[in-house]
Amino acid sequence: MSEVQHGLEGVIAFETHIAEPDKEGSALRYRGVDIDDLVGRVPFEKVWGLLVDGGFEPGLPPDEPYPIPVHSGDVRVDVQSGLAMLAPVWGLNPLLDTTEEDARNQLARVTAMALSFVAQSARGIGRPMVPESQVDKAGTMVERFMTRWRGEPDPRHVKAVDAYFTSAAEHGMNASTFTARVVASTGADAAASLSAAVGAMSGPLHGGAPSRVLAMIEEIERMGDARAYVKRVLDGGERLMGFGHRVYRAEDPRARTLRRVARELGAPRYEVAEAFEKAALEELAARKPDRVLATNVEFWAAIVLDFAEVPAPMFTSMFTCARTAGWSAHVLEQKKTGRLVRPSAVYTGPGGRAPESVDGWN
Ligand code: ACO
């Protein structure tokens, strides 16, 4: 292939047994299992096990209490740097030198620590860790996560977060998963792969949209008229957050699942969100009849996380917790290929020329 594929769109770089969105059919399956059959029915640690191991055993070890090493005031920064530090702290071997079983166990430990770091960082600077005696070791992964964050979590919030984690656990070859695979392909350790993926996810083009959905919902609540708001936004040439998708040409299946979760949980903003969605879909269909502009995951994720009282600046880190599952599965799959990822670029710079003298150098 000699043509440049900007953004690698359409380039098939890997084979995977894990998942790939069904773009036309509006479905997402993890190793063949539809997410709608998992969300709200199977706890996140088993979904991690399904993605990484292919079975339904709880995939994650009991998490280890370990104080977060960095407290910068920014959860993402704390988690990314905390994960990077695990390699020397735990003496992790590079993936190149581990067995598959060791690599898998490293990924499980690193994932458990990522959730612990998010919980600890979310408590805020100066608030001590929740005593371990308060954490129910027999509880689910999300129960332990929420306890470490809040002390005594509301069980309905635990359900909402578990549902969100499962629905966002994996989504094929997105930017952060690709990053995790590239780092794994160099033979680096599991913590290096996952911390690099956290960095890739931090950009607004990947991990940062649901908070903007909430801002729109708040504005509709102020105006009291979803239809008028939608028209105002579109007439102003702006986009409606939570609609459209680069991959799906049908409804994002995760939106469907999270809409069900929001309804079942009785999310307080369910009705205003539904009115917004209805007005937006009608207006978008009328204005763009040739293009399917349906609801995407960010829309209903915002409502479910809002129900769980997750503050908007935390949304990306919640996404990080969820996606540790997909990243881990892909890192392990990449290790099995044993192939370094090393694409090419077409050189378009100046032709051969003599070096210019630079002040201070002879
Ligand atoms: N609101 C209004 N118009 C839209 C929207 C929207 N949400 N999405 C696309 N359009 C319009 C565009 O203005 C464009 O119209 P034009 O042809 O007249 O210029 C047309 O539809 C095609 O838009 P593209 O940007 O080419 O569509 P693409 O598929 O590349 O974009 C994207 C996908 C970026 C998600 C886009 O739909 C968008 O900006 N949505 C709003 C932000 C959002 O919800 N992001 C979260 C996505 S989900 C996720 O990333 C996990």
Side-chain angles (χ1 to χ4, degrees), residues 69-315:
V70 178
H71 239 322
S72 67
D74 180 318
V75 179
R76 194 274 300 176
V77 171
D78 293 356
V79 174
Q80 190 178 357
S81 43
L83 291 184
M85 287 169 78
L86 289 179
V89 169
W90 282 347
L92 297 179
N93 286 325
L95 291 171
L96 191 66
D97 303 331
T98 59
T99 62
E100 276 176 25
E101 194 187 344
D102 286 343
R104 182 249 173 245
N105 292 337
Q106 269 191 23
L107 288 159
R109 285 181 81 193
V110 173
T111 293
M113 199 45 73
L115 267 66
S116 171
F117 285 164
V118 170
Q120 291 180 55
S121 177
R123 287 180 67 70
I125 295 172
R127 281 180 74 202
M129 279 173 76
V130 170
E132 279 305 300
S133 55
Q134 221 172 299
V135 181
D136 178 3
K137 299 293 183 291
T140 65
M141 190 76 194
V142 174
E143 276 165 354
R144 299 199 300 274
F145 166 75
M146 295 291 277
T147 304
R148 287 209 169 87
W149 177 3
R150 295 183 179 172
E152 270 187 52
D154 179 331
R156 294 170 321 139
H157 294 173
V158 171
K159 269 193 183 166
V161 170
D162 208 316
Y164 169 72
F165 278 7
T166 292
S167 68
E170 157 64 8
H171 203 240
M173 208 34 57
N174 54 86
S176 59
T177 301
F178 182 66
T179 302
R181 279 191 85 126
V182 171
V183 177
S185 85
T186 69
D189 63 79
S193 284
L194 264 58
S195 66
V198 175
M201 179 177 269
S202 68
L205 296 185
H206 185 10
S211 53
R212 296 184 222 170
V213 173
L214 271 195
M216 291 199 154
I217 296 261
E218 277 160 14
E219 184 59 20
I220 291 172
E221 284 170 335
R222 265 191 294 277
M223 280 177 71
D225 185 342
R227 209 161 283 280
Y229 175 76
V230 163
K231 286 198 168 123
R232 194 183 81 192
V233 170
L234 294 176
D235 288 347
E238 285 174 57
R239 292 186 178 205
L240 295 166
M241 293 296 133
F243 298 90
H245 200 278
R246 178 59 60 83
V247 169
Y248 291 108
R249 287 295 162 258
E251 184 177 44
D252 182 333
R254 299 165 298 175
R256 194 164 53 242
T257 297
L258 288 171
R259 184 191 297 112
R260 163 175 69 79
V261 170
R263 190 180 53 242
E264 285 171 2
L265 288 169
R269 283 177 153 155
Y270 182 83
E271 276 170 22
V272 63
E274 207 178 31
F276 178 19
E277 184 180 42
K278 188 164 179 289
L281 294 180
E282 281 174 13
E283 203 57 37
L284 287 168
R287 292 180 189 225
K288 302 252 174 260
D290 303 332
R291 172 138 191 134
V292 180
L293 286 173
T295 320
N296 65 46
V297 62
E298 310 272 327
F299 188 86
W300 286 103
I303 304 304
V304 169
L305 292 176
D306 175 61
F307 167 77
E309 294 176 12
V310 176
M314 277 285 296
F315 283 6

